[in-house]
Amino acid sequence: MLPNRKVQNLIGKRVRVEMKGDASILEGTLMSVDDYMNLYLEDTSEIVNGERTRILGPVILRGNNIILLTPVEE
Amino acid sequence: MLPNRKVQNLIGKRVRVEMKGDASILEGTLMSVDDYMNLYLEDTSEIVNGERTRILGPVILRGNNIILLTPVEE
Amino acid sequence: MLPNRKVQNLIGKRVRVEMKGDASILEGTLMSVDDYMNLYLEDTSEIVNGERTRILGPVILRGNNIILLTPVEE
Amino acid sequence: MLPNRKVQNLIGKRVRVEMKGDASILEGTLMSVDDYMNLYLEDTSEIVNGERTRILGPVILRGNNIILLTPVEE
Amino acid sequence: MLPNRKVQNLIGKRVRVEMKGDASILEGTLMSVDDYMNLYLEDTSEIVNGERTRILGPVILRGNNIILLTPVEE
Amino acid sequence: MLPNRKVQNLIGKRVRVEMKGDASILEGTLMSVDDYMNLYLEDTSEIVNGERTRILGPVILRGNNIILLTPVEE
C-alpha cells in the first residue's frame, strides 16, 4: 500500500503529525488529505514541549512541511 | 472536503497563519488562495513573541512556507 | 485577485520581502516575477537586525524561499 | 540503478532515515515508497540523541523532508 | 526581463550566491543555470563568517536552496 | 553544460555533498543521479564537525535537500 493511500485509510481517525518548525506536534481527527499530503484536521490539539493546548475549529496543514504522520492509538 | 477547498471557504474571513522561520505568525483577512496555497491577506497583524504589530496594506504569503492555517474565532 | 496576480501588480514599486534563513529582509524595486514567485529586484537594501545595508546591482530571489512579500508604503 | 529504484529494492528491509528537523532519525521496516520518496514504515523506532524509543503502528514520512536513507545492516 | 532570464544573462560573470544552511555564501563564475535555477559555478570561493576559502573544481548548487543571487561588481 | 548534466559526468567518481540539516557533509562514490538530483552513493563517509565516520552500504540522498555538490580531488 503506497504512503498516500495509507494516509487516506486514516481518514476519520486520530492522527499525530510532526511539522517542521520549532518542534511543533499536532493531534487531530483527519478529515481529508490530497495528493500533496496537505491535511485538514478537526478537533486539534497542539503539543508544545509536551503540553497539550486545545485549538478550536479546523486546521489545514501544508503537506511539504510534514515530517511524519502516525495514527494515535486509542 | 479537500484541504485546499477548505481554505477557499475561508475567503473573506479572518485567518491565523503560522509560517516557517523564526516563530512568525500572521493574522489577516483572507482575500485569495491559489492551487499552491499561496495566500493574499489584507488588514494583517504580525504576532512575534505574543506581541501584535499592525501591518498596513496587502501581504502575500508563499504557500510552501506555511506550516498551518486556522480560522480566527470572532 | 489571486496572490501571484497581486504580486505582478507591484511591479515597478518598492517591496519588502522576508526570506527564509537568518532573519533576512530585503527592500527593493520589483522588476519582475514569474509563476514560481521568483523575483528580480533592483536598488535593493538588505535589512539585518534592523540595520539597512545598500546592495548595488540586481538581486534575484528564489520564490520558494520567500516567507512574505508586502508593498513598502511611501 | 537510479536512486528511487534503489529505495524500492529496500522494501521489506530495515532502513534508517534521517529527517529534517531537530536531528530526528528513524529506523523501521520499509513497506512502500512512491515517486516523491514518501515512505511508509512499520515497526519503527525513533532515535533522539542516541536514545531509541519504540513507536507502535505505521509511520508515514514526507519525501521532501528526508535528508538521507540507508539500509540497516543486520 | 523575467528572473530566470536575468540569471542567464550573468553566465560567464562572477556571482555571489547566498544558500540556505548556516550562513553559507559562495562566489564563483556562473557556467550554467537550468529552469529550476540549479547553478554550475567554477573558480568558487566559500565565504564563512566573512572568511574566504578557495574551493577547487566545479560546484553544483541546488536551485531550491538558493536564497538570493547577485552579480559581483568588479 | 547544464548543472544536472555536470552531475551525471561525475558518476563513478568521489563527490562531496553538503546537505541541509545540522552541518551534515557526506563523501562517497556517485553511483547514480535522477532529474531531481536525488543521489545514490556508495562507500560513503559522513563528516560531522570535521570528523570522518565510515558508513557501510548504499546511501540515498534526497535532491531537494542538497545545498552543494563538488567533486573530491584525488
Side-chain angles (χ1 to χ4, degrees), chain E residues 34 60, chain F residues 1-10 33 37:
Chain E
D34 63 19
I60 294 97
Chain F
M1 190 183 298
L2 288 174
N4 228 332
R5 185 68 197 284
K6 188 71 196 172
V7 179
Q8 280 168 351
N9 278 1
L10 296 173
V33 55
M37 229 184 263

Side-chain angles (χ1 to χ4, degrees), chain D residues 25-64:
Chain D
I25 296 169
L26 294 133
E27 267 186 36
T29 302
L30 182 59
M31 303 306 284
S32 67
V33 56
D34 63 18
D35 288 349
Y36 306 100
M37 228 183 264
N38 296 320
L39 305 178
Y40 160 30
L41 304 181
E42 290 220 334
D43 212 12
T44 312
S45 305
E46 195 175 11
I47 300 167
V48 182
N49 299 324
E51 266 177 73
R52 189 170 301 221
T53 319
R54 183 72 176 187
I55 299 171
L56 297 174
V59 171
I60 293 97
L61 301 177
R62 188 52 153 78
N64 69 306

Side-chain angles (χ1 to χ4, degrees), chain D residues 1 6 17 19-20 31 36 43 48 52-53 67 72:
Chain D
M1 190 183 297
K6 188 72 195 173
V17 190
M19 301 296 291
K20 279 204 275 197
M31 303 306 284
Y36 306 100
D43 212 12
V48 182
R52 189 170 301 221
T53 319
I67 302 286
V72 176

